Amino acid sequence: RKEVEQDPGPFNVPEGATVAFNCTYSNSASQSFFWYRQDCRKEPKLLMSVYSSGNEDGRFTAQLNRASQYISLLIRDSKLSDSATYLCVVNSGYSTLTFGKGTMLLVSP
Amino acid sequence: DAGVIQSPRHEVTEMGQEVTLRCKPISGHNSLFWYRQTMMRGLELLIYFNNNVPIDDSGMPEDRFSAKMPNASFSTLKIQPSEPRDSAVYFCASSYRTSGYNEQFFGPGTRLTVL
């Protein structure tokens, strides 16, 4: 089983739609969780951290379910500029991160 | 402020040649990471340094790969000899490590093609 698994997509949605991405992780000892965003041919950048209580940043909401080892990202009112690959990331010790392969989102007019 | 700087941005070389990738982390950061990204395997950690000391190199694929960090402002990743399967985007990232997790900032990457 891969350490971090994501649906690769692509998810094709119209502007204004709500879209949700899911991710599962295998290491129950994982401590910290994140979503990174990667634009085409660019480097990954931190989008948001994920907390057990759930957290929101504008149109973005992240949820963590430790019992199910499941992480989600919800994007409301999608914009064209949201088109990117979203990487689910887990920190399992020290400073090291384990990345999922990413889910591609394409938002169309 | 300057972010993580990597050079070259693109490298095309022939199988068997030596390749050296360079990275300058963000000033003041004490942790540095080398990653490789391919379509098949995604983003994989190759090695990371803390205070210029290699901490975990378990991701380095084989002896053809080596990494050094002679000082806090410079690191290299060397492949010798290179093979076509080494073709990938290589990212360097840095962070300021404290007791908890701290955000890693990525450089723009080096796109390596081995013919």
Side-chain angles (χ1 to χ4, degrees):
Chain A
R1 182 181 173 187
K2 294 181 182 144
E3 288 194 56
V4 180
E5 292 204 60
Q6 296 181 249
D7 181 340
F11 283 53
N12 287 283
V13 302
E15 271 187 293
T18 295
V19 61
F21 306 136
N22 303 317
C23 163
T24 57
Y25 61 95
S26 61
N27 185 350
S28 59
S30 298
Q31 301 165 0
S32 307
F33 309 88
F34 312 92
W35 286 99
Y36 272 66
R37 169 188 171 135
Q38 186 172 22
D39 293 310
C40 187
R41 302 180 77 85
K42 297 287 189 180
E43 70 273 22
K45 293 184 179 179
L46 179 65
L47 176 66
M48 60 194 302
S49 301
V50 187
Y51 304 117
S52 296
S53 56
N55 49 300
E56 191 172 307
D57 183 2
R59 297 180 293 108
F60 298 81
T61 300
Q63 297 274 357
L64 167 64
N65 184 323
R66 285 186 184 269
S68 302
Q69 295 180 204
Y70 172 94
I71 305 162
S72 66
L73 176 68
L74 183 76
I75 306 175
R76 292 181 300 278
D77 189 22
S78 300
K79 311 291 185 190
L80 295 176
S81 58
D82 293 335
S83 296
T85 296
Y86 291 83
L87 304 169
C88 178
V89 186
V90 173
N91 171 225
S92 299
Y94 297 104
S95 300
T96 59
L97 300 178
T98 302
F99 286 77
K101 287 190 178 180
T103 298
M104 183 181 290
L105 172 65
L106 300 172
V107 182
S108 54
Chain B
D1 288 340
V4 176
I5 298 172
Q6 290 188 246
S7 65
R9 295 291 305 275
H10 301 272
E11 176 82 25
V12 180
T13 190
E14 293 187 346
M15 183 173 64
Q17 296 298 306
E18 177 179 296
V19 175
T20 299
L21 311 181
R22 298 172 175 79
C23 175
K24 177 178 170 54
I26 293 172
S27 177
H29 282 187
N30 60 0
S31 293
L32 182 140
F33 309 81
W34 282 102
Y35 291 90
R36 177 173 67 176
Q37 188 174 37
T38 61
M39 288 291 292
M40 287 294 294
R41 300 174 68 89
L43 198 62
E44 302 173 286
L45 177 66
L46 299 178
I47 185 171
Y48 94 91
F49 296 84
N50 192 49
N51 293 321
N52 312 339
V53 176
I55 302 299
D56 182 359
D57 65 353
S58 59
M60 296 286 262
E62 48 198 272
D63 291 345
R64 298 185 297 106
F65 286 69
S66 62
K68 293 182 180 179
M69 191 164 186
N71 57 62
S73 59
F74 183 65
S75 177
T76 60
L77 177 68
K78 185 176 292 186
I79 308 172
Q80 167 62 19
S82 58
E83 296 182 2
R85 60 189 167 130
D86 301 330
S87 297
V89 181
Y90 291 81
F91 288 104
C92 176
S94 72
S95 72
Y96 181 73
R97 179 171 178 249
T98 59
S99 57
Y101 170 76
N102 296 90
E103 181 180 353
Q104 292 184 18
F105 294 84
F106 283 75
T110 295
R111 188 171 297 272
L112 173 65
T113 302
V114 183
L115 302 174

